[in-house]
Amino acid sequence: MEKPQGNRESFATKFGVIAATAGSAVGLGNIWRFPYLTGEYGGAAFLVVYLVFVVAIGIPVMLSEFVIGRSAQLNPYGAFKKLAPRKPWYLVGLMGVAAAFMILAFYTTVAGWTLEYIYQAVIGGFPGKDGVQLGEMFSHFRDHSWRPLLWFFLFMGMTAGIIVFGVKKGIEKSTVIMMPLLFLILVVLCIRSLTLPGSLEGIRFLFQPDFSKIDSSAILAALGQVFFSMSIGMGTLITYASYFPKSDNLLGTSFSVAFTDTLVAILAGVAIFPAVFSFHIEPGYGPGLVFVTLPGIFQQMPGGSFFAVLFFLLLALAALTSTISVLEVIVAFFSEELKMTRKAATWTAAGTVSILGLMSTLAWNPMMKGVTLFGKNVFEVLDFTSANILLPMGGFFIVLFVAWFFGRQKAASELSNEGTLKTGYIPFYMFLIRYIAPVALAIIFLNGIGLLRF
Ligand code: TRP
């Protein structure tokens, strides 16, 4: 593939583009958050609503980020500055960089927990414990030990260790290995789950919609989940698209990424729900689903310890391909705007995020427990502010920028690779980003900050 102008790095292969971008999208959001939301909001009906939003809102926002990133070839802040000189749009980019700090801090906390659980699965820490004891094991680990901090730093170190090698040798090379591996593990886990007695009930739960379960809070949760899961709304994809070759078909890439992201979420459901039902466990368990409920299930199934190791390895891999995409936003910003070398930018970024991450990881520790805002601890504040405020706000301005400022003509030229690809869909895309996406985003935002209640 041809290289973009100048000596800026780009992904080398089409598969690299998809592995890296789908790697950003596929993460804890798919394997941890999606299943527990689906569990809480009644299964298949939630899935249907989710799919509608992926197509109507997720893909258009993703395409808008691609358009901005690939035409500007810069980090989010630099991109808005370049495409809209002397206009305040760069604030949107700056907000994206700030969101990257916050997301990375709390996300790496959870990513660190997955390492503890790989370790526990390997040393046989689950067998012999009942549900209550597994719950205590989790809260004791999270609230009273120092190990979360150790895992946090290890995970941040691995993330930085990949990013420091750059776009091709770091991000691309690692994700083209990790993504197929992730897929393989997921398929093995699905087969294990589907061959358990009584697994069919879990499949029915996941695929037979009961629309009476859908209320306004389920709809909002689905919309928020689309944003989080597809990595949209803060410039991660602006940054990655700035490394796409000019010959890449942006629409095709957005479809492949959306498809992979959704497929992994559904497969994670297939790996989890049949097992949950097979052991007669309540599916609406919430965020503890993977760290408390699943260890309990694994130890009751044949070959459970082995599958437990695989499952937490899957979570860690999924998280790592996402944390590198978030760290890259900050590193691109530091190296392009503050003219740092990649190495200096990487360690400065990882170091500064770690200060916030330290507080997020210790948020439940007696030492930090008193530090709260509106009754939320540091972890919860970072999670809440980024997912409910910064992402929808970022997404809102990103689509408005492309729809009303950058304009149809320039967007069409970027999407068609200067006229070489078909553009029949562009009027429809423009309609979605002019009206549908901004309205949907305004609703999630107003609801997220509590100004609007249905
Ligand atoms: N999409 C990832 C997940 O599902 C998380 C993530 C990575 C993300 N980059 C992001 C979320 C940017 C929002 C914005 O786990």
Side-chain angles (χ1 to χ4, degrees), residues 320-333:
L320 186 57
T321 56
S322 298
T323 52
I324 60 176
S325 74
V326 186
L327 184 60
E328 179 61 25
V329 174
I330 308 173
V331 169
F333 173 75

Side-chain angles (χ1 to χ4, degrees), residues 368-390:
M368 285 283 301
K369 228 167 129 176
V371 185
T372 56
L373 193 66
F374 302 116
K376 289 179 160 52
N377 68 28
V378 176
F379 176 96
E380 289 157 351
V381 167
L382 293 172
D383 180 356
F384 178 87
T385 321
S386 52
N388 293 303
I389 300 178
L390 297 178

Side-chain angles (χ1 to χ4, degrees), residues 65-252:
E65 291 203 27
F66 285 178
V67 165
I68 295 172
R70 202 183 55 175
S71 50
Q73 313 254 307
L74 283 168
N75 68 85
Y77 167 83
F80 281 104
K81 244 191 147 113
K82 179 171 171 184
L83 300 180
R86 290 178 303 280
K87 294 262 164 27
W89 285 104
Y90 67 88
L91 291 171
V92 181
L94 222 45
M95 193 171 79
V97 177
F101 271 92
M102 299 171 69
I103 291 183
L104 198 52
F106 84 83
Y107 197 88
T108 311
T109 298
V110 182
W113 298 347
T114 69
L115 298 181
E116 163 82 7
Y117 274 69
I118 295 177
Y119 168 73
Q120 289 295 344
V122 169
I123 65 163
F126 308 134
K129 294 198 173 70
D130 62 22
V132 177
Q133 288 167 319
L134 286 164
E136 281 167 1
M137 174 179 162
F138 176 66
S139 48
H140 186 268
F141 159 71
R142 189 191 62 180
D143 307 355
H144 295 288
S145 91
W146 292 94
R147 289 202 310 282
L149 217 48
L150 173 82
W151 298 123
F152 172 89
F153 283 114
L154 186 60
F155 210 95
M156 189 58 84
M158 294 193 305
T159 307
I162 291 172
I163 285 299
V164 79
F165 284 103
V167 175
K168 265 196 210 67
K169 292 211 186 88
I171 300 173
E172 182 166 5
K173 206 168 162 189
S174 65
T175 51
V176 298
I177 299 170
M178 288 195 279
M179 288 307 286
L181 185 60
L182 180 150
F183 221 76
L184 184 73
I185 297 178
L186 193 52
V187 170
V188 171
L189 289 169
C190 286
I191 294 172
R192 168 66 283 191
S193 186
L194 289 173
T195 50
L196 290 168
S199 64
L200 212 66
E201 208 187 323
I203 291 300
R204 222 174 276 136
F205 176 75
L206 195 58
F207 293 111
Q208 217 171 59
D210 168 7
F211 286 100
S212 69
K213 293 261 172 63
I214 294 299
D215 55 9
S216 61
S217 69
I219 290 178
L220 284 166
L223 205 51
Q225 174 63 9
V226 165
F227 265 76
F228 191 79
S229 186
M230 294 178 80
S231 300
I232 49 186
M234 54 150 279
T236 303
L237 299 183
I238 293 180
T239 309
Y240 268 16
S242 75
Y243 306 129
F244 290 0
K246 281 286 182 192
S247 58
D248 193 66
N249 177 345
L250 298 180
L251 181 71

Side-chain angles (χ1 to χ4, degrees), residues 273-345:
F273 289 115
V276 166
F277 279 90
S278 176
F279 292 98
H280 310 287
I281 286 162
E282 182 51 47
Y285 192 85
L289 183 68
V290 306
F291 292 107
V292 178
T293 313
L294 286 184
I297 292 174
F298 284 127
Q299 57 162 312
Q300 295 175 49
M301 69 170 67
S305 303
F306 172 71
F307 292 107
V309 175
L310 276 192
F311 179 79
F312 289 107
L313 188 62
L314 171 77
L315 268 182
L317 276 176
L320 186 57
T321 56
S322 298
T323 52
I324 60 176
S325 74
V326 186
L327 184 60
E328 179 61 25
V329 174
I330 308 173
V331 169
F333 173 75
F334 280 175
S335 62
E336 288 165 356
E337 304 304 325
L338 308 179
K339 310 286 177 243
M340 289 185 187
T341 62
R342 185 163 191 94
K343 204 166 152 192

